[in-house]
Amino acid sequence: MKFPLLSLLSLLGIMNATAGITPGSKDLGPIWFIGDSITQSNADGDVKGSPRKSLYDLLTKNGYTFSYTGHHAKNPDGLPESVADPADNLYHYHSGVSGIRIGEVGGDRGFASILEKSWNEGRLATAKPNVILIMLGTNDVGMMENAPDRLRKLVTGIYALPDVGEPTVFLATVPPNRRTGQERFADDRENVAAFNGTILEMVKDFIAEGKDIHFVDQFTPLDDNYAATMRPDNLHPNATGNDTMAQTWFDAISNVVGEKPAATEQAAAFPGKKSDFKGHDRYDIKTEKGSFAIICPKKAAPGKPWLWRSLFWEQIKKFHEADLQLVDEGYHIVLAHGNVHGHPSGNKNIDAAYEYVTQEHGFAKKCSMASMSRGTLSLFTWAAINPEKVSSIYVDNGVCNVDSWPGGKPVEGSGSIASGASASWKGMKEVYGFTTDQELLDAEISPIDKLEPLAKAGVPILIVCGSKDPAVPYEENDAIMEERYKELGGEIQVIIEDKGHTHGMDDPTPVLEFIKKHTE
């Protein structure tokens, strides 16, 4: 479960003028890190760095005054040199404890059991926190059923500490966990998602009690760039992950101060991970209902037209270069994958994207749709159920007939035999629940079987295909679609090029003009 940080902060309105952080002031006072090995940074492989060190660098660079406090000073991680007196050691102290759990589980050790003792040790004995950063729960993954209640109890205990005052608290989701290989790890990923899904409601409850507490999503930025941010143990963030977590902490702090970083300002239009795609802003968005990406124009055209795309779009240069011409004219591109075999289960993800862009951001109620190769399966599966939401369809060397691909079966009357793909044919049988080839051959699940609702809705179709395509031959796919759609009264145009199974036109003008002509 993923939550866009800034939009939630704005939605909840959780800035409190009497909190530990004073809006408008960069004087933060002592910051107290509470966490496990990820906070302590003893298992990140980052000898001279940590999330604490990376946050120190960000805060210092941006003119904040602050110190760190805690009950011990393990893993200095390149922070400024310590002095003998804990009270004067401004940056080494924290309360990240390797292997620690939340606590209060059948006598099992946890932070709750050392909370009161820690409050009077190290630098924390004299430097009480103005800001508290909490990220606990990774080591509770095997006992997640009551972990939210235990975390709530721990936060309540922190507020009850003597002389705690009114600190600004940031409560974070825990990083992703993809451990496999042992049965005891089987449910880790799901448990983490379930645990993280409770934290926002917990924060809202504390806000209702008048606490200055803020929700921070540490899971999403790490999960969105998993390969680069996580160590091979699939549990601990690495040096890049440390920087990523620090940036998330920094953004949350600066938001409360009231000074939003430039990148955060730009990201306000769409939540999720922002990146650059060929000079255009791209946002990769994950919601409870689905995952998708949006390529943005500098300025949206009137009516906010948009083009749906799916598989392989980024990899095919001719495609994205052509589509970016539409972006330059004010179109958005929405990348929303369906099921690779065209199974209706994939519609949920496309539905999520459609609902989000039309309801949350006012995109046009009808979209242009475009696909290539096997992506055509999911296009027609969704479009046939939602013809009123489609303004036009463009297919490039698309799979129109599953008997041809992945079946590689003879198509009566075509005079052509496709090469097929046995592994994909097997996978298609499995996803549809068929046990024999004949069951799949008899099923009407091909795009050529889903044309009637589109013809009735008046959806125009443009097909570009190769005359020498061994994978999806014209005779077995496009020719059949053209004949059937015309018989149904549909508008269809087929452009046949002298090529094989390659994608994109050297001159995409016919495609771009087709899409623009039928944009609503």
Side-chain angles (χ1 to χ4, degrees):
M1 187 173 293
K2 313 297 178 69
F3 305 94
L5 171 64
L6 294 176
S7 61
L8 288 171
L9 292 173
S10 300
L11 173 67
L12 297 174
I14 57 178
M15 188 176 292
N16 184 341
T18 63
I21 291 178
T22 301
S25 172
K26 289 189 172 183
D27 184 6
L28 303 178
I31 299 173
W32 185 21
F33 279 90
I34 297 175
D36 46 40
S37 60
I38 296 172
T39 298
Q40 182 176 319
S41 72
N42 66 317
D44 55 14
D46 189 9
V47 179
K48 295 184 179 179
S50 67
R52 294 175 288 109
K53 173 60 166 63
S54 297
L55 181 59
Y56 169 89
D57 292 339
L58 285 169
L59 291 172
T60 302
K61 177 182 177 180
N62 286 276
Y64 286 83
T65 56
F66 63 97
S67 65
Y68 288 165
T69 190
H71 74 283
H72 71 74
K74 294 179 181 177
N75 297 83
D77 299 317
L79 285 158
E81 288 296 325
S82 173
V83 293
D85 187 350
D88 296 323
N89 184 339
L90 301 182
Y91 301 111
H92 284 193
Y93 277 85
H94 60 92
S95 291
V97 182
S98 181
I100 201 81
R101 297 187 173 97
I102 297 166
E104 302 294 339
V105 180
D108 192 14
R109 77 188 189 98
F111 200 86
S113 66
I114 66 170
L115 177 61
E116 292 186 7
K117 183 174 183 291
S118 299
W119 189 243
N120 297 303
E121 291 186 351
R123 189 165 191 265
L124 196 55
T126 55
K128 301 304 183 186
N130 208 43
V131 178
I132 305 176
L133 310 181
I134 305 172
M135 190 176 74
L136 272 173
T138 291
N139 294 307
D140 295 79
V141 70
M143 52 187 74
M144 281 296 189
E145 287 186 4
N146 62 351
D149 290 336
R150 291 185 284 111
L151 182 61
R152 186 186 297 267
K153 185 175 181 180
L154 174 64
V155 175
T156 299
I158 291 171
Y159 281 124
L161 289 167
D163 301 318
V164 72
E166 296 181 340
T168 299
V169 177
F170 295 91
L171 186 61
T173 56
V174 298
N177 182 326
R178 300 188 186 181
R179 290 186 297 179
T180 58
Q182 296 184 39
E183 185 176 350
R184 65 191 179 97
F185 296 151
D187 298 325
D188 283 6
R189 192 169 187 179
E190 290 75 14
N191 287 345
V192 167
F195 174 70
N196 282 341
T198 68
I199 293 178
L200 176 60
E201 290 302 315
M202 193 182 308
V203 168
K204 291 167 69 175
D205 289 344
F206 281 114
I207 291 168
E209 297 173 7
K211 304 300 185 185
D212 181 29
I213 184 170
H214 303 260
F215 171 85
V216 177
D217 180 10
Q218 287 287 10
F219 178 96
T220 300
L222 293 169
D223 196 54
D224 281 348
N225 198 21
Y226 192 89
T229 61
M230 299 295 292
R231 285 179 60 78
D233 66 2
N234 289 315
L235 186 66
H236 294 92
N238 57 22
T240 300
N242 287 338
D243 292 342
T244 301
M245 287 187 290
Q247 184 68 56
T248 303
W249 288 127
F250 176 80
D251 288 351
I253 291 169
S254 61
N255 186 73
V256 175
V257 170
E259 181 181 77
K260 299 178 182 178
T264 301
E265 290 273 10
Q266 295 172 5
F270 297 101
K273 177 188 174 184
K274 181 184 177 184
S275 59
D276 176 86
F277 186 84
K278 309 294 183 179
H280 298 82
D281 289 344
R282 170 176 173 152
Y283 295 90
D284 286 86
I285 300 167
K286 293 188 178 182
T287 72
E288 291 180 349
K289 295 182 178 180
S291 302
F292 44 91
I294 301 174
I295 315 296
C296 302
K298 301 298 181 185
K299 182 179 180 180
K304 291 191 175 180
W306 56 290
L307 175 67
W308 175 90
R309 279 287 193 180
S310 184
L311 297 172
F312 315 126
W313 182 80
E314 300 97 321
Q315 288 77 34
I316 306 299
K317 185 178 180 181
K318 286 183 179 180
F319 269 158
H320 63 243
E321 286 185 346
D323 288 357
L324 290 178
Q325 293 182 47
L326 293 174
V327 175
D328 289 337
E329 295 185 36
Y331 284 68
H332 287 82
I333 306 296
V334 178
L335 310 177
H337 301 324
N339 179 267
V340 71
H341 299 293
H343 191 275
S345 61
N347 282 356
K348 294 179 181 179
N349 196 57
I350 305 175
D351 287 338
Y354 180 88
E355 178 182 328
Y356 177 80
V357 299
T358 58
Q359 295 185 13
E360 299 293 329
H361 292 276
F363 283 23
K365 297 297 184 181
K366 286 191 175 185
C367 64
S368 306
M369 300 190 77
S371 67
M372 69 194 85
S373 198
R374 73 186 72 177
T376 304
L377 298 172
S378 59
L379 184 157
F380 277 88
T381 298
W382 188 86
I385 295 174
N386 302 279
E388 76 285 354
K389 299 174 182 177
V390 183
S391 59
S392 68
I393 293 174
Y394 157 50
V395 173
D396 190 288
N397 273 18
V399 175
C400 303
N401 182 1
V402 301
D403 293 4
S404 174
W405 192 98
K409 310 299 183 182
V411 176
E412 185 177 353
S414 72
S416 175
I417 298 178
S419 55
S422 58
S424 294
W425 180 252
K426 179 182 178 182
M428 183 168 282
K429 285 194 295 184
E430 291 175 351
V431 77
Y432 279 93
F434 299 139
T435 56
T436 68
D437 285 359
Q438 194 59 48
E439 286 179 291
L440 184 48
L441 289 169
D442 291 341
E444 296 185 347
I445 60 173
S446 297
I448 57 174
D449 300 317
K450 301 175 180 179
L451 299 176
E452 185 173 355
L454 295 166
K456 286 183 177 180
V459 177
I461 297 176
L462 172 65
I463 293 178
V464 177
C465 56
S467 61
K468 303 173 183 177
D469 190 340
V472 286
Y474 161 77
E475 297 84 357
E476 299 182 6
N477 292 270
D478 317 287
I480 298 174
M481 178 171 281
E482 181 180 16
E483 180 182 2
R484 290 190 182 184
Y485 207 57
K486 285 181 176 179
E487 288 177 352
L488 292 166
E491 177 186 343
I492 185 168
Q493 177 186 1
V494 178
I495 299 174
I496 305 174
E497 296 190 313
D498 183 21
K499 65 179 184 181
H501 193 67
T502 59
H503 299 290
M505 301 182 74
D506 291 335
D507 179 6
T509 300
V511 173
L512 300 179
E513 291 302 321
F514 169 80
I515 291 171
K516 289 188 286 186
K517 176 183 177 181
H518 297 289
T519 292
E520 297 184 25

